[in-house]
Amino acid sequence: MSHSHTAGARQAQKERTRQALLDAALGLLAEQSLSSLGLREVTRAVGVAPTAFYRHFRDLGELGVALVKESLASLHATVRAVLAEQAGAEERIDHTVAVVERYVREHPAHVRFVARERHGGVRAVRQAIADELDRFATEVAAALKSQPVSEGWSDEDVRMLAELYVDRLVMTASAFLDVSDGGDLDTERWHAVARTARRQLHLISVGRQHWRDAVS
């Protein structure tokens, strides 16, 4: 076996162990906060020695930061794609809410983690979430700026609008999670969350159309 093949196999194993640690921590965080999680709990769940943890992360805070990136990365790309659509405002709102619905259904543990740790006790993770949402708002602002309705808007106002959108998406995801957590899905309440989210985004959209007149 060549040296490069052996090195590649070792790297692949290292990546698998790293991902196993992330997955185990996420599972354990369903019932507790990151600040109360023990490193030995995580390594025991994976079946590795506690010393092996430090080959991948400095501490649980660094693992938490990696979970933040994992939790929010795929949502960025999907929402950007929706905002880039040439569809009308109503259709874009429907697609945005549908994206958040699907994300919560497919990644409930990630949504729960971000919702809990956004104001949690681990500073590095709080900061990582704030940084990710800030980057998300920057991406959303760029997409909004390119739309004809933003013509004549200042960068500051586009950024404010983007932050409104991002905040609504995060709060909507948390609301979907609240009605789906802890057993059977309450379909009526789930639909009510979707309806409220669409109305809120529609309100933002209507305000957007008249903003320049209001501040000129």
Side-chain angles (χ1 to χ4, degrees):
M1 186 181 292
S2 69
H3 174 72
S4 61
H5 185 81
T6 303
R10 195 179 300 122
Q11 182 61 33
Q13 179 58 47
K14 186 177 180 181
E15 284 300 317
R16 282 195 294 272
T17 303
R18 183 181 188 277
Q19 189 59 50
L21 289 166
L22 288 168
D23 293 344
L26 191 61
L28 290 164
L29 288 168
E31 302 297 334
Q32 61 186 306
S33 67
L34 184 63
S35 58
S36 67
L37 184 65
L39 185 149
R40 286 178 181 274
E41 280 182 88
V42 179
T43 54
R44 189 162 52 242
V46 176
V48 298
T51 51
F53 179 92
Y54 296 105
R55 297 192 198 112
H56 305 276
F57 305 103
R58 268 198 317 273
D59 50 29
L60 283 170
E62 189 173 89
L63 179 145
V65 170
L67 275 178
V68 170
K69 292 187 180 353
E70 183 177 275
S71 298
L72 293 172
S74 61
L75 188 61
H76 285 220
T78 318
V79 171
R80 271 204 317 272
V82 171
L83 289 171
E85 290 176 355
Q86 296 305 307
E90 282 294 321
E91 195 175 350
R92 207 158 40 225
I93 286 169
D94 287 344
H95 286 178
T96 301
V97 175
V99 161
V100 177
E101 284 189 81
R102 188 170 67 248
Y103 190 76
V104 175
R105 287 183 192 275
E106 293 176 357
H107 306 282
H110 287 99
V111 174
R112 187 184 302 109
F113 167 71
V114 171
R116 180 181 285 154
E117 299 300 331
R118 189 180 184 189
H119 305 292
V122 180
R123 186 176 180 278
V125 174
R126 283 201 314 272
Q127 188 61 53
I129 293 171
D131 289 346
E132 280 294 307
L133 293 179
D134 184 72
R135 189 162 68 84
F136 197 7
T138 299
E139 294 168 359
V140 170
L144 295 174
K145 183 76 172 175
S146 68
Q147 294 171 1
V149 70
S150 295
E151 188 178 341
W153 278 53
S154 69
D155 289 344
E156 183 183 4
D157 284 356
V158 173
R159 173 70 189 203
M160 177 179 67
L161 178 65
E163 288 172 357
L164 272 175
Y165 272 113
V166 168
D167 190 57
R168 277 302 90 207
L169 295 183
V170 171
M171 297 307 293
T172 297
S174 296
F176 277 129
L177 187 68
D178 285 344
V179 302
S180 61
D181 247 3
D184 295 334
L185 173 66
D186 187 329
T187 307
E188 189 173 328
R189 288 176 66 205
W190 180 278
H191 289 319
V193 169
R195 188 164 57 250
T196 297
R198 283 192 292 268
R199 284 169 59 81
Q200 288 170 334
L201 290 174
H202 184 64
L203 179 60
I204 292 170
S205 180
V206 170
R208 183 186 182 192
Q209 292 165 36
H210 299 284
W211 178 248
R212 281 186 64 201
D213 293 338
V215 295
S216 58

